[in-house]
Amino acid sequence: MSTVAARADSAHPAPLRPDPARPDPERPAPLRPALLRPDRTAVSEGPVSVRRVAVHEVHRSGTEPEAARELLEQVYGAREVVIDPDGPFHFRYRSTGDDRVSLRTSSVTARRSGVLAPGRQYVLAWSVEGGVVIDPDREDGVTLRPGVPVMVPAGRPFATTAPPGTMHLVHFDADFLEAVAVVGTARVTVPLAFSASVPSTHLESLQTTLREVAPAMLDTAVVDGDRAVLDLRLAEAVLAAFRPEPDGGQPDVPVDAIDRAKAHMYAHFGVPLTAADIAGAADVSVRTLQETFQRVEGTTPTAFLRDLRLGKARVALQLADVRETSVAAVAFSCGFRHMGRFSGSYAGRYGEHPGDTLRGPRRRIAVAGGPVRTVG
């Protein structure tokens, strides 16, 4: 995990996005901040030509503890903030992302403490140096180890203390993560309850996903369907790693071949994969993999992969904005290389063409057996 942190920090320090619960006159909608970028093709608004884009960045830095305190208050609704410099002071903060997911880095050269209330967000966090304590006065308080991610408490204020150092964070809009958690199930969206920490082996797939998606997510040129797929991959990785188990979590057990194959397909559905690639990841022969899939899943590995990609494309299209993306961009990001076959398979599975999904009501997620949820 420290490798991810180092890469994210060296690429760009990730500042915190302004708290969506706090009104901003420059934002026309709470879930989609309107950033005005003069380097984009513009639409006219009187004498000024601007266009709203999907990705936004925030950069803050300074040498005054008071400015750092004000930033914490603005972004996290912080109170009772104490910053205790022991020598020259400096802070820097960066946030890069869209209104669904943002990667952030906060570096402070002083000890600090306070009570944070991030609002309707879920936050994954890890410390480069370790030593950050969440809920220090509670029996279930957590002390961060270097490079090991935890889920920050959601839905309530929490106290924290931190030594000088760097924190990396991933912020998820609550409506988005809650909707992803129930897509394809009969459940309705509800607030999510995460364990703060999980066994380290549960984090391996998440750490791999972070290493793979962080460079692209820190690139502001990655927008539209490409970014929607990255948001979805990271959301699913966090849900898979931290979703509480009925027994509170058990030591890891061996993973069989079909689970290894599925894990590989979920992690790499956006790139070309052959049956041999999947079998190699599962550590079995192609024939054994095919026979096992047929027996357990009633289908072939390649058919399972196609259906997986179709499902990812559908969610990406439902989450996307027709003004910012295209069917082709989403399809390519989900691993499809032949648009005709993609369109035919999609229509056959969902009863509508992908363009109809993209042009439908903005960011509506159909949940089997439940209401249709609007997340933006």
Side-chain angles (χ1 to χ4, degrees):
M1 192 61 196
S2 57
T3 302
V4 180
R7 178 177 299 178
D9 191 46
S10 61
H12 305 294
L16 305 164
R17 187 179 65 178
D19 188 341
R22 294 174 176 264
D24 185 336
E26 295 185 358
R27 285 200 238 153
L31 291 180
R32 181 172 289 278
L35 283 211
L36 306 180
R37 292 282 295 274
D39 58 329
R40 301 282 181 170
T41 304
V43 295
S44 177
E45 293 186 4
V48 181
S49 293
V50 293
R51 177 186 170 187
R52 188 173 64 182
V53 297
V55 182
H56 48 89
E57 288 189 302
V58 177
H59 296 262
R60 301 282 180 82
S61 63
T63 57
E64 296 296 329
E66 180 64 17
R69 183 186 64 79
E70 290 176 356
L71 179 65
L72 285 171
E73 291 177 347
Q74 175 190 359
V75 176
Y76 290 109
R79 65 179 190 268
E80 303 172 27
V81 176
V82 175
I83 299 176
D84 185 20
D86 183 16
F89 176 79
H90 181 77
F91 75 92
R92 59 174 180 166
Y93 164 73
R94 175 176 178 167
S95 174
T96 304
D98 54 29
D99 55 305
R100 296 179 293 260
V101 182
S102 59
L103 304 188
R104 310 182 184 196
T105 296
S106 176
S107 297
V108 183
T109 61
R111 292 188 173 276
R112 62 266 189 212
S113 63
V115 177
L116 307 184
R120 284 282 294 160
Q121 300 180 71
Y122 295 99
V123 181
L124 176 75
W126 64 97
S127 168
V128 174
E129 296 82 6
V132 176
V133 182
I134 296 173
D135 285 329
D137 298 326
R138 291 170 56 121
E139 290 185 1
D140 58 350
V142 175
T143 300
L144 274 63
R145 291 177 289 144
V148 178
V150 302
M151 289 300 292
V152 169
R156 65 171 174 84
F158 62 92
T160 182
T161 63
T166 298
M167 287 287 296
H168 293 285
L169 312 101
V170 183
H171 282 234
F172 296 91
D173 173 75
D175 286 333
F176 169 71
L177 194 62
E178 289 164 9
V180 173
V182 299
V183 168
T185 76
R187 300 190 304 272
V188 298
T189 57
V190 295
L192 303 173
F194 292 99
S195 298
S197 58
V198 295
S200 59
T201 45
H202 290 193
L203 298 171
E204 292 173 357
S205 180
L206 171 60
Q207 291 171 318
T208 297
T209 299
L210 277 164
R211 283 192 293 269
E212 291 175 352
V213 304
M217 296 187 78
L218 290 170
D219 184 351
T220 58
V222 178
V223 296
D224 306 335
D226 291 337
R227 185 162 289 269
V229 169
L230 294 170
D231 289 347
L232 184 60
R233 280 192 63 190
L234 193 47
E236 290 182 327
V238 167
L239 289 168
F242 282 91
R243 177 135 335 148
E245 301 177 24
D247 57 7
Q250 294 293 327
D252 294 326
V253 297
V255 180
D256 62 21
I258 198 165
D259 287 338
R260 289 195 296 270
K262 286 182 179 180
H264 188 74
M265 285 188 273
Y266 272 97
H268 303 286
F269 68 87
V271 300
L273 288 176
T274 65
D277 294 331
I278 301 169
D283 197 25
V284 295
S285 69
V286 172
R287 180 175 178 177
T288 297
L289 181 68
Q290 290 173 334
E291 291 175 347
T292 304
F293 252 89
Q294 193 66 53
R295 183 176 67 254
V296 176
E297 300 290 336
T299 187
T300 65
T302 52
F304 182 92
L305 177 60
R306 179 202 62 215
D307 290 344
L308 168 63
R309 286 169 167 167
L310 286 172
K312 301 297 186 184
R314 182 163 178 80
V315 174
L317 289 167
Q318 289 169 332
L319 294 175
D321 188 331
V322 68
R323 298 169 297 180
E324 298 177 350
T325 193
S326 67
V327 169
V330 171
F332 190 86
S333 295
C334 292
F336 293 98
R337 299 297 183 264
H338 191 290
M339 284 303 301
R341 293 191 194 120
F342 166 68
S343 183
S345 297
Y346 187 95
R349 183 172 181 82
Y350 299 112
E352 65 179 4
H353 292 290
D356 296 332
T357 304
L358 179 61
R359 290 187 294 270
R362 287 189 63 198
R363 289 195 276 178
R364 293 173 70 82
I365 296 183
V367 180
V372 176
R373 170 83 173 189
T374 301
V375 298

